Amino acid sequence: MSDQIKFIVDNLNKEPFRKNYNLITFDSLEPMQLLQILNDVLAEIDPKQVVDIREEMPEHTAKRMLSLLGILKYKPPGNATDMSTFRQGLVIGSKPVIYPVLHWLLQRTNELKKRAYLARFLIKLEVPSEFLQDETVADTNKQYEELMEAFKTLHKECEQLKTSGFSTAEIRRDISAMEDEKDQLIKRVERLKKRVETVQNHQRMLKIARQLRVEKEREEFLAQQKQEQKNQLFHAVQRLQRVQNQLKSMRHAAADAKPESLMKRLEEEIKFNSYMVTEKFPKELESKKKELHFLQKVVSEPAMGHSDLLELESNINEINTQINQLIEKKMMRNEPIEGKLSLYRQQASIISRKKEAKAEELQEAKEKLASLEREVSVKTNQTREFDGTEVLKGDEFKRYVSKLRSKSTVFKKKHQIIAEFKAEFGLLQRTEELLKQRHENVQHQLRTIEEKKGISGYSYTQEELERVSALKSEVDEMKGRTLDDMSEMVKKLNSLVSEKKSALAPVIKELRQLRQKCQELTQECDEKKSQYDSCAAGLESNRSKLEQEVRGLREECLQEESRYHYTNCMIKNLEVQLRRATDEMKAYVSSDQQEKRKAIRQQYTKNITEQENLGKKLREKQKAVRESHGPNMKQAKMWRDFEQLMECKKQCFLKQQSQTSIGQRNLLGTNISCFEETFI
């Protein structure tokens, strides 16, 4: 009990309650204050419970707390009788009832917060069945259930995402890394574009690469489509096999049937159809015609009143009396031949009625069979459309039954496992009893410890006081006793109380001294706490300064490391250049001609001489081109003029071709020759 109270006090002193209780002040709280603390804890779990219980009726408070504890699945100790005491204790704020509840709530606050949050959305509202007959109410209830299921799935997904290990910092790092990769890819693409632009026909090559990519995607799509078609072909082959098996079974059934049985069945169907056509349907048609004629007659007659109906009833009664008289006269005659004929007539009428009844039953059975066959065909089509499988028949049904039998064996095994679990539950109950015995032993040890500490009988006296108060309440409730007995009982109780008070007096004195010590210790604790806070603040400021210094030193270290790597790279480059220079000096100084040829100086001098020779040739060519540029341009101009002259001749010849006079042609020729001489 003390550990329980200590746990409650420690948790109430923490966030978010901040009560600043100790064991003594918490134990000395009044019932109303205890109920307020319990309500504050419940309000932390469910914010709807934020209420000042001084402004609320005790019955409403108890009902509200009990409903929330039921939602949170709190199980009070004991059986049904203890439940009534639990409710009473919750109403009056009894410590033995409030302390376990507070201990249970403070142990699992986060879990209970989640449960209270889910209870707001997952506790189903029970709608009476008479209200569900209304379509709007039924649709609303169905929508409500669908939303509840959707909330369950979303909550599960949310919990999975929370427990999956993803954090916003990791996602941000991933995004930044992806952005860096994107920038690098863009730069690489730009570099590749610049490199490709120098290549001839790069646009054509890019177009061909694009077409290649499109064709590869198309190839993948065609491969996927081919796979789907293969699957469809496989399902079609399976359906074909099933249909072939059905056809074989039907042919086998037709082959096993004998012609005599087939003929007999056909004869029975012909007889039935002929009976229906020749006897039953004409009679029904006649009766329907008579009924129709009668109804038309009734419709054609004027409307009858009450007096007309009375007259018809009197006429019907008179006709019935006449019929009865005729029957009596006939019976008085008692003719034997007529009696025999009446017997045969009765038998014939009975047989005809039986025949009609059987025909009707057969017709109804046929109609029912046809409707069932239609339903079976519809259901088979639905199942075929749903999963592409047929209804089980014959051997397939037997295989299905064998599967069910195997599943039944599995069920029996599982049932046996459940029985083993039940046996294990019995063992656990036994362990519970043993733990209760251990609890009693612990209580005994507690009494011994109390004796050692000098407060022996503290818990026992408290229990005795509670028991005595319970006995007192029971005695007060009992009736039928005399006043003398009650006065004696009161005297005994008073004596017991005085004895217990006298026994507890030294303990109370020690408790007062302990309270004074506790107050002194709390003052000292507050002083130490203030000193600790000031020291912590100073240390925190020093820590922040040191962190800034460390951060600056780390940055300097990074800069120095980058500078070191840069200098190291420069040294390596210089070493490479120095190595190349030494190799060049060795090759230049060596007497071997091949080594000299390998020298870079020799290669450069060779290249320089080649380029100088090439430059001389190009300058000579340039000089020749400059010298021949003027005559060449003049000759090109003369060729262009000559081309224009020939074109002009052609046009003149085409114009003058239609003319037949020779003189004009000669004139034209002389003109052209004159023009040529002037041009030349």
Side-chain angles (χ1 to χ4, degrees):
M1 191 73 177
S2 60
D3 293 333
Q4 193 180 56
I5 296 171
K6 187 177 180 182
F7 177 79
I8 293 167
V9 170
D10 291 335
N11 281 280
L12 289 175
N13 290 333
K14 294 177 183 176
E15 292 288 337
F17 302 103
R18 294 184 182 179
K19 295 295 184 181
N20 291 325
Y21 288 138
N22 53 32
L23 295 175
I24 298 167
T25 55
F26 181 76
D27 193 47
S28 62
L29 291 174
E30 294 181 358
M32 187 64 69
Q33 294 174 340
L34 275 176
L35 283 173
Q36 186 63 48
I37 290 170
L38 178 60
N39 190 75
D40 293 338
V41 175
L42 292 174
E44 179 62 26
I45 294 168
D46 187 5
K48 291 183 180 179
Q49 305 296 323
V50 180
V51 177
D52 191 358
I53 60 171
R54 292 175 296 183
E55 300 174 0
E56 191 179 26
M57 296 294 290
E59 294 82 8
H60 295 301
T61 304
K63 186 176 179 181
R64 179 171 54 79
M65 290 182 178
L66 284 171
S67 64
L68 183 58
L69 289 173
I71 290 169
L72 299 176
K73 296 182 180 180
Y74 173 74
K75 293 181 181 179
N79 51 16
T81 56
D82 293 330
M83 283 295 295
S84 61
T85 57
F86 174 77
R87 292 192 186 93
Q88 292 176 2
L90 191 64
V91 171
I92 63 175
S94 177
K95 292 180 180 178
V97 174
I98 301 293
Y99 285 172
V101 177
L102 284 171
H103 184 261
W104 186 80
L105 292 173
L106 293 170
Q107 270 184 336
R108 46 183 68 84
T109 307
N110 295 324
E111 180 185 351
L112 296 176
K113 281 182 180 179
K114 183 178 178 181
R115 190 175 294 173
Y117 168 75
L118 293 175
R120 287 193 299 171
F121 305 99
L122 297 181
I123 293 177
K124 189 176 179 181
L125 296 173
E126 295 296 332
V127 182
S129 58
E130 56 266 23
F131 292 119
L132 288 173
Q133 293 177 0
D134 190 3
E135 292 182 356
T136 56
V137 176
D139 293 335
T140 307
N141 189 28
K142 186 177 179 181
Q143 188 179 4
Y144 168 68
E145 291 175 353
E146 291 175 354
L147 290 171
M148 190 179 290
E149 294 295 326
F151 174 77
K152 287 180 183 178
T153 55
L154 289 172
H155 182 71
K156 287 179 182 177
E157 291 177 359
C158 181
E159 291 297 323
Q160 288 176 0
L161 288 172
K162 284 181 180 178
T163 57
S164 61
F166 290 106
S167 63
T168 54
E170 291 179 355
I171 293 168
R172 285 173 182 169
R173 284 197 295 271
D174 292 336
I175 290 168
S176 62
M178 290 169 72
E179 286 178 352
D180 294 334
E181 289 178 1
K182 182 181 176 183
D183 295 331
Q184 291 176 3
L185 288 171
I186 291 168
K187 290 177 181 177
R188 286 183 64 187
V189 168
E190 288 177 356
R191 285 198 300 269
L192 289 171
K193 280 183 179 179
K194 290 178 180 178
R195 288 175 62 185
V196 167
E197 285 175 359
T198 59
V199 179
Q200 293 180 356
N201 298 325
H202 66 279
Q203 292 292 337
R204 184 168 172 274
M205 294 173 72
L206 287 172
K207 186 177 180 182
I208 292 167
R210 197 176 297 113
Q211 289 177 357
L212 178 63
R213 180 176 54 79
V214 171
E215 290 298 324
K216 283 185 178 179
E217 290 177 355
R218 188 166 175 271
E219 184 182 1
E220 291 177 357
F221 175 75
L222 290 173
Q224 187 177 2
Q225 194 173 5
K226 184 180 178 181
Q227 187 64 33
E228 289 176 358
Q229 287 178 359
K230 282 184 179 178
N231 294 331
Q232 290 176 2
L233 179 63
F234 178 73
H235 292 305
V237 169
Q238 285 184 344
R239 288 180 189 174
L240 179 62
Q241 289 177 358
R242 285 195 294 269
V243 172
Q244 286 176 353
N245 292 327
Q246 289 179 3
L247 183 61
K248 285 180 182 178
S249 62
M250 291 174 71
R251 284 178 178 172
H252 185 68
D256 292 338
K258 295 180 180 179
E260 291 84 5
S261 61
L262 290 173
M263 291 295 293
K264 190 175 180 180
R265 200 182 302 158
L266 289 171
E267 285 176 359
E268 287 176 358
E269 288 180 1
I270 289 166
K271 284 179 182 179
F272 174 75
N273 292 327
S274 62
Y275 167 74
M276 295 293 288
V277 171
T278 57
E279 293 183 13
K280 191 170 186 299
F281 288 155
K283 287 180 181 178
E284 288 181 356
L285 186 61
E286 240 173 69
S287 64
K288 295 292 181 185
K289 283 181 179 179
K290 286 179 182 178
E291 190 175 359
L292 179 63
H293 180 67
F294 178 75
L295 291 171
Q296 286 177 353
K297 190 176 178 181
V298 170
V299 170
S300 62
E301 288 180 357
M304 291 187 288
H306 186 65
S307 60
D308 297 328
L309 290 172
L310 291 172
E311 286 179 3
L312 286 171
E313 286 179 357
S314 62
N315 291 329
I316 290 166
N317 291 326
E318 287 175 2
I319 291 166
N320 286 328
T321 53
Q322 290 176 6
I323 290 166
N324 290 326
Q325 288 174 4
L326 291 170
I327 291 168
E328 286 175 0
K329 285 178 181 180
K330 188 176 180 182
M331 290 176 69
M332 290 294 290
R333 289 177 187 172
N334 196 10
E335 293 179 359
I337 299 168
E338 192 72 16
K340 289 179 181 179
L341 289 172
S342 64
L343 260 171
Y344 292 134
R345 284 171 184 167
Q346 287 177 0
Q347 288 178 0
S349 63
I350 289 167
I351 290 167
S352 64
R353 283 197 294 273
K354 285 183 179 179
K355 193 175 180 181
E356 289 175 359
K358 293 297 180 184
E360 288 177 357
E361 288 177 1
L362 183 59
Q363 186 68 23
E364 289 176 358
K366 281 190 173 183
E367 291 175 357
K368 191 174 181 181
L369 179 62
S371 65
L372 289 172
E373 286 177 352
R374 286 194 297 272
E375 287 181 3
V376 168
S377 64
V378 170
K379 296 294 182 184
T380 52
N381 291 327
Q382 287 179 357
T383 54
R384 195 179 296 113
E385 291 174 358
F386 182 69
D387 57 353
T389 57
E390 298 290 338
V391 179
L392 300 176
K393 291 181 182 178
D395 296 334
E396 293 180 355
F397 185 73
K398 289 179 182 177
R399 286 195 292 272
Y400 180 69
V401 170
S402 65
K403 284 183 181 178
L404 285 178
R405 286 175 183 169
S406 63
K407 287 184 179 179
S408 66
T409 56
V410 173
F411 169 74
K412 288 177 183 177
K413 289 180 182 178
K414 299 295 183 184
H415 189 68
Q416 187 177 1
I417 291 168
I418 291 169
E420 292 175 357
F421 283 146
K422 287 182 179 178
E424 189 175 357
F425 177 70
L427 291 172
L428 291 172
Q429 284 183 341
R430 176 62 182 163
T431 53
E432 185 182 2
E433 292 176 358
L434 293 172
L435 289 171
K436 286 181 179 178
Q437 291 177 2
R438 287 184 183 179
H439 178 68
E440 291 177 357
N441 294 329
V442 169
Q443 290 291 331
H444 181 68
Q445 292 177 2
L446 179 64
R447 293 192 193 97
T448 56
I449 290 166
E450 287 177 352
E451 288 177 359
K452 288 179 181 179
K453 298 294 182 180
I455 54 170
S456 62
Y458 177 74
S459 60
Y460 177 73
T461 51
Q462 187 177 2
E463 291 176 357
E464 284 293 323
L465 284 171
E466 290 177 357
R467 190 173 63 79
V468 167
S469 62
L471 288 171
K472 185 175 180 299
S473 63
E474 289 176 359
V475 168
D476 291 333
E477 290 175 356
M478 292 174 65
K479 294 181 180 180
R481 290 188 179 183
T482 59
L483 293 171
D484 295 333
D485 294 335
M486 291 184 72
S487 62
E488 289 177 1
M489 183 62 70
V490 169
K491 287 178 181 178
K492 288 179 181 179
L493 290 171
N494 288 326
S495 64
L496 284 170
V497 170
S498 61
E499 288 176 1
K500 297 297 179 184
K501 284 183 177 179
S502 61
L504 288 172
V507 177
I508 291 168
K509 288 180 181 178
E510 291 179 0
L511 184 63
R512 287 174 183 170
Q513 293 175 1
L514 291 171
R515 282 181 180 174
Q516 289 178 358
K517 288 182 180 180
C518 181
Q519 289 177 358
E520 292 174 357
L521 290 171
T522 51
Q523 290 177 0
E524 188 177 357
C525 180
D526 292 334
E527 291 175 357
K528 297 293 184 183
K529 191 175 181 181
S530 62
Q531 291 176 4
Y532 168 76
D533 292 335
S534 62
C535 182
L539 292 173
E540 185 68 25
S541 62
N542 292 329
R543 186 176 67 83
S544 62
K545 289 179 182 177
L546 291 172
E547 282 180 353
Q548 290 178 358
E549 291 178 0
V550 168
R551 200 178 293 114
L553 291 171
R554 281 180 180 175
E555 290 177 356
E556 289 179 2
C557 181
L558 290 172
Q559 290 176 0
E560 293 296 331
E561 282 182 358
S562 62
R563 193 178 299 164
Y564 165 73
H565 290 303
Y566 176 73
T567 53
N568 196 8
C569 291
M570 292 297 293
I571 289 166
K572 286 182 180 179
N573 289 328
L574 291 171
E575 287 177 355
V576 170
Q577 291 177 3
L578 182 62
R579 195 181 302 116
R580 289 175 66 185
T582 53
D583 292 337
E584 182 68 20
M585 287 295 294
K586 285 179 182 179
Y588 183 72
V589 173
S590 67
S591 60
D592 193 1
Q593 294 296 325
Q594 291 182 356
E595 289 292 331
K596 285 186 176 182
R597 288 174 186 174
K598 289 181 182 179
I600 297 171
R601 182 174 180 180
Q602 293 293 330
Q603 292 177 3
Y604 279 131
T605 54
K606 185 178 178 181
N607 290 330
I608 288 166
T609 54
E610 288 177 357
Q611 292 296 324
E612 285 178 352
N613 294 327
L614 183 62
K616 286 179 181 179
K617 289 179 182 179
L618 290 173
R619 281 194 293 273
E620 290 175 357
K621 193 174 181 180
Q622 184 181 8
K623 184 178 179 182
V625 168
R626 284 178 181 174
E627 289 176 354
S628 62
H629 178 67
N632 289 333
M633 289 298 291
K634 188 176 180 181
Q635 190 175 0
K637 185 175 181 301
M638 288 172 69
W639 278 108
R640 283 195 294 273
D641 293 338
F642 179 71
E643 186 179 0
Q644 290 178 2
L645 178 61
M646 295 304 291
E647 186 68 27
C648 181
K649 276 185 175 185
K650 183 180 176 182
Q651 294 295 329
C652 292
F653 177 74
L654 291 173
K655 286 180 182 179
Q656 298 297 326
Q657 192 177 4
S658 59
Q659 297 177 4
T660 56
S661 62
I662 298 170
Q664 289 179 354
R665 289 180 182 174
N666 294 327
L667 181 61
L668 180 61
T670 54
N671 289 328
I672 291 169
S673 61
C674 292
F675 182 74
E676 287 177 354
E677 290 175 356
T678 55
F679 178 76
I680 292 167

